[in-house]
Amino acid sequence: IKHQIMDTYESWQDLIRIFKDRDEQLDQSGNLQRFIRDLEDFQKWLSSKQSEIANEIIPQTEADAKQAQTRNELLKGEIDNYSSQYEQMKTTGNELCDGNTDKQDYKNFQLRLEAVDLGWNELLQMWENRDKLLLELVHFMQFEKEGRAVETLLNKQDNFLQKIEKP
Protein backbone atom coordinates (compact mmCIF):
# COMPACT_ATOMS: atom_id res chain seq x y z
CA ILE A 1 0.00 0.00 0.00
CA LYS A 2 2.89 2.37 0.81
CA HIS A 3 4.30 1.73 -2.62
CA GLN A 4 0.96 2.54 -4.24
CA ILE A 5 0.65 5.72 -2.15
CA MET A 6 4.17 6.78 -3.25
CA ASP A 7 3.33 6.02 -6.89
CA THR A 8 0.10 7.98 -6.57
CA TYR A 9 1.92 10.89 -4.91
CA GLU A 10 4.58 10.94 -7.66
CA SER A 11 1.88 10.79 -10.29
CA TRP A 12 0.07 13.62 -8.57
CA GLN A 13 3.26 15.71 -8.48
CA ASP A 14 3.82 14.98 -12.18
CA LEU A 15 0.27 16.08 -12.92
CA ILE A 16 0.78 19.29 -10.94
CA ARG A 17 4.03 19.97 -12.83
CA ILE A 18 2.34 19.28 -16.17
CA PHE A 19 -0.56 21.52 -15.18
CA LYS A 20 1.81 24.36 -14.25
CA ASP A 21 3.72 23.96 -17.52
CA ARG A 22 0.52 24.00 -19.53
CA ASP A 23 -0.78 26.97 -17.56
CA GLU A 24 2.44 28.88 -18.31
CA GLN A 25 2.17 27.93 -21.97
CA LEU A 26 -1.44 29.16 -22.05
CA ASP A 27 -0.40 32.43 -20.41
CA GLN A 28 2.38 32.87 -22.97
CA SER A 29 -0.01 32.02 -25.79
CA GLY A 30 -2.58 34.50 -24.48
CA ASN A 31 0.06 37.20 -24.12
CA LEU A 32 1.26 36.52 -27.65
CA GLN A 33 -2.29 36.66 -29.02
CA ARG A 34 -2.97 39.97 -27.26
CA PHE A 35 0.33 41.34 -28.51
CA ILE A 36 -0.41 40.27 -32.09
CA ARG A 37 -3.87 41.86 -31.90
CA ASP A 38 -2.33 45.09 -30.57
CA LEU A 39 0.33 44.91 -33.28
CA GLU A 40 -2.32 44.54 -35.98
CA ASP A 41 -4.30 47.47 -34.57
CA PHE A 42 -1.14 49.58 -34.48
CA GLN A 43 -0.29 48.61 -38.07
CA LYS A 44 -3.80 49.65 -39.19
CA TRP A 45 -3.48 52.99 -37.41
CA LEU A 46 0.01 53.50 -38.84
CA SER A 47 -1.17 52.75 -42.36
CA SER A 48 -4.16 55.06 -42.05
CA LYS A 49 -2.00 57.96 -40.84
CA GLN A 50 0.51 57.43 -43.63
CA SER A 51 -2.38 57.51 -46.13
CA GLU A 52 -3.82 60.59 -44.46
CA ILE A 53 -0.55 62.48 -44.87
CA ALA A 54 0.10 61.21 -48.39
CA ASN A 55 -3.40 62.07 -49.62
CA GLU A 56 -3.56 65.56 -48.12
CA ILE A 57 -4.26 68.10 -50.85
CA ILE A 58 -1.80 70.97 -51.19
CA PRO A 59 -3.62 74.11 -50.03
CA GLN A 60 -4.17 76.90 -52.57
CA THR A 61 -4.88 79.75 -50.16
CA GLU A 62 -3.18 81.07 -47.06
CA ALA A 63 -6.26 80.30 -44.94
CA ASP A 64 -6.33 76.71 -46.23
CA ALA A 65 -2.61 76.37 -45.58
CA LYS A 66 -3.04 77.56 -41.99
CA GLN A 67 -5.91 75.10 -41.49
CA ALA A 68 -3.71 72.34 -42.91
CA GLN A 69 -0.98 73.36 -40.46
CA THR A 70 -3.45 73.07 -37.59
CA ARG A 71 -4.54 69.60 -38.75
CA ASN A 72 -0.90 68.63 -39.11
CA GLU A 73 -0.16 69.74 -35.54
CA LEU A 74 -3.14 67.72 -34.28
CA LEU A 75 -1.77 64.73 -36.16
CA LYS A 76 1.63 65.28 -34.52
CA GLY A 77 -0.07 65.19 -31.12
CA GLU A 78 -1.72 61.90 -32.03
CA ILE A 79 1.61 60.50 -33.24
CA ASP A 80 3.28 61.61 -30.01
CA ASN A 81 0.52 59.87 -28.03
CA TYR A 82 1.26 56.64 -29.90
CA SER A 83 5.03 56.85 -29.43
CA SER A 84 4.98 55.22 -25.98
CA GLN A 85 2.79 52.41 -27.37
CA TYR A 86 5.24 52.00 -30.24
CA GLU A 87 8.24 51.82 -27.89
CA GLN A 88 6.47 49.34 -25.60
CA MET A 89 5.42 47.23 -28.58
CA LYS A 90 8.97 47.22 -29.90
CA THR A 91 10.39 46.18 -26.52
CA THR A 92 7.76 43.50 -25.93
CA GLY A 93 8.16 42.15 -29.45
CA ASN A 94 11.91 41.86 -29.06
CA GLU A 95 11.44 40.09 -25.72
CA LEU A 96 9.00 37.63 -27.28
CA CYS A 97 11.39 36.91 -30.14
CA ASP A 98 14.46 36.66 -27.92
CA GLY A 99 15.76 33.11 -27.97
CA ASN A 100 13.23 31.98 -30.57
CA THR A 101 15.02 33.14 -33.70
CA ASP A 102 15.37 29.61 -35.06
CA LYS A 103 11.60 29.06 -35.32
CA GLN A 104 9.94 30.15 -38.58
CA ASP A 105 6.90 31.67 -36.84
CA TYR A 106 9.16 33.92 -34.81
CA LYS A 107 11.20 34.85 -37.88
CA ASN A 108 7.99 35.98 -39.58
CA PHE A 109 6.99 37.79 -36.41
CA GLN A 110 10.38 39.53 -36.32
CA LEU A 111 9.85 40.63 -39.94
CA ARG A 112 6.50 42.15 -38.96
CA LEU A 113 8.17 44.03 -36.13
CA GLU A 114 10.80 45.33 -38.52
CA ALA A 115 8.05 46.45 -40.92
CA VAL A 116 6.34 48.33 -38.08
CA ASP A 117 9.64 49.96 -37.17
CA LEU A 118 10.19 51.02 -40.77
CA GLY A 119 6.61 52.26 -41.06
CA TRP A 120 6.93 54.30 -37.87
CA ASN A 121 10.11 55.98 -39.11
CA GLU A 122 8.46 56.66 -42.47
CA LEU A 123 5.45 58.21 -40.73
CA LEU A 124 7.68 60.53 -38.73
CA GLN A 125 9.58 61.53 -41.88
CA MET A 126 6.35 62.06 -43.82
CA TRP A 127 4.97 64.26 -41.06
CA GLU A 128 8.18 66.29 -40.89
CA ASN A 129 8.25 66.77 -44.67
CA ARG A 130 4.59 67.80 -44.65
CA ASP A 131 5.21 70.25 -41.80
CA LYS A 132 8.12 71.88 -43.68
CA LEU A 133 6.06 72.07 -46.88
CA LEU A 134 3.14 73.74 -45.12
CA LEU A 135 5.40 76.21 -43.33
CA GLU A 136 7.13 77.15 -46.57
CA LEU A 137 3.77 77.39 -48.32
CA VAL A 138 2.35 79.76 -45.68
CA HIS A 139 5.48 81.92 -45.85
CA PHE A 140 5.35 82.00 -49.65
CA MET A 141 1.66 82.92 -49.65
CA GLN A 142 2.30 85.69 -47.12
CA PHE A 143 5.19 86.95 -49.26
CA GLU A 144 2.99 86.84 -52.35
CA LYS A 145 0.21 88.75 -50.55
CA GLU A 146 2.64 91.39 -49.29
CA GLY A 147 4.14 91.64 -52.78
CA ARG A 148 0.70 92.33 -54.26
CA ALA A 149 0.07 94.95 -51.56
CA VAL A 150 3.39 96.67 -52.35
CA GLU A 151 2.62 96.51 -56.07
CA THR A 152 -0.77 98.13 -55.47
CA LEU A 153 0.84 100.86 -53.35
CA LEU A 154 3.48 101.53 -56.01
CA ASN A 155 0.80 101.72 -58.72
CA LYS A 156 -1.15 104.25 -56.65
CA GLN A 157 1.99 106.31 -56.11
CA ASP A 158 2.84 106.11 -59.82
CA ASN A 159 -0.69 107.29 -60.73
CA PHE A 160 -0.44 110.10 -58.22
CA LEU A 161 2.95 111.21 -59.55
CA GLN A 162 1.69 111.12 -63.15
CA LYS A 163 -1.16 113.46 -62.22
CA ILE A 164 1.15 116.01 -60.67
CA GLU A 165 2.08 118.70 -63.16
CA LYS A 166 5.69 118.81 -64.07
CA PRO A 167 7.41 122.19 -63.57
Side-chain angles (χ1 to χ4, degrees):
I1 293 181
K2 264 188 176 183
H3 185 43
Q4 285 180 333
I5 291 175
M6 289 302 284
D7 285 345
T8 304
Y9 180 77
E10 287 176 16
S11 295
W12 180 252
Q13 292 303 316
D14 287 342
L15 285 173
I16 290 173
R17 207 171 23 258
I18 290 170
F19 176 75
K20 285 181 181 179
D21 289 344
R22 297 253 169 100
D23 192 43
E24 286 176 19
Q25 289 173 352
L26 282 173
D27 282 346
Q28 288 175 349
S29 177
N31 290 339
L32 185 59
Q33 285 178 343
R34 278 187 294 283
F35 179 78
I36 289 172
R37 186 181 58 243
D38 291 345
L39 181 64
E40 287 173 353
D41 290 344
F42 186 81
Q43 284 177 309
K44 287 176 189 173
W45 174 84
L46 188 62
S47 179
S48 74
K49 294 307 157 185
Q50 287 173 334
S51 294
E52 184 178 324
I53 292 173
N55 294 327
E56 183 85 22
I57 297 171
I58 295 177
Q60 299 300 316
T61 66
E62 185 179 353
D64 289 344
K66 287 182 178 181
Q67 286 177 349
Q69 274 185 313
T70 301
R71 285 192 307 272
N72 206 46
E73 286 303 315
L74 291 173
L75 178 60
K76 179 61 173 161
E78 187 177 351
I79 291 169
D80 289 344
N81 288 339
Y82 272 83
S83 68
S84 62
Q85 182 180 350
Y86 163 73
E87 290 298 329
Q88 182 181 4
M89 189 171 301
K90 190 175 172 181
T91 301
T92 303
N94 289 332
E95 288 172 359
L96 288 171
C97 288
D98 193 32
N100 292 313
T101 55
D102 57 330
K103 298 176 184 173
Q104 187 61 38
D105 288 342
Y106 284 95
K107 286 180 184 179
N108 292 338
F109 186 63
Q110 186 66 37
L111 290 174
R112 282 183 70 181
L113 290 172
E114 290 170 8
V116 166
D117 195 39
L118 180 64
W120 178 258
N121 291 328
E122 286 175 351
L123 176 65
L124 294 176
Q125 187 63 48
M126 289 172 75
W127 181 89
E128 189 175 314
N129 291 343
R130 181 78 179 161
D131 191 55
K132 286 179 185 177
L133 172 75
L134 292 172
L135 183 62
E136 289 174 5
L137 193 58
V138 166
H139 288 151
F140 175 74
M141 288 177 174
Q142 288 172 343
F143 174 77
E144 209 175 29
K145 181 174 132 183
E146 290 169 4
R148 284 190 302 273
V150 167
E151 185 178 13
T152 302
L153 179 63
L154 289 175
N155 284 336
K156 285 181 181 179
Q157 287 179 348
D158 188 41
N159 286 337
F160 177 76
L161 290 175
Q162 284 180 3
K163 291 180 183 179
I164 295 178
E165 290 184 25
K166 296 180 184 174

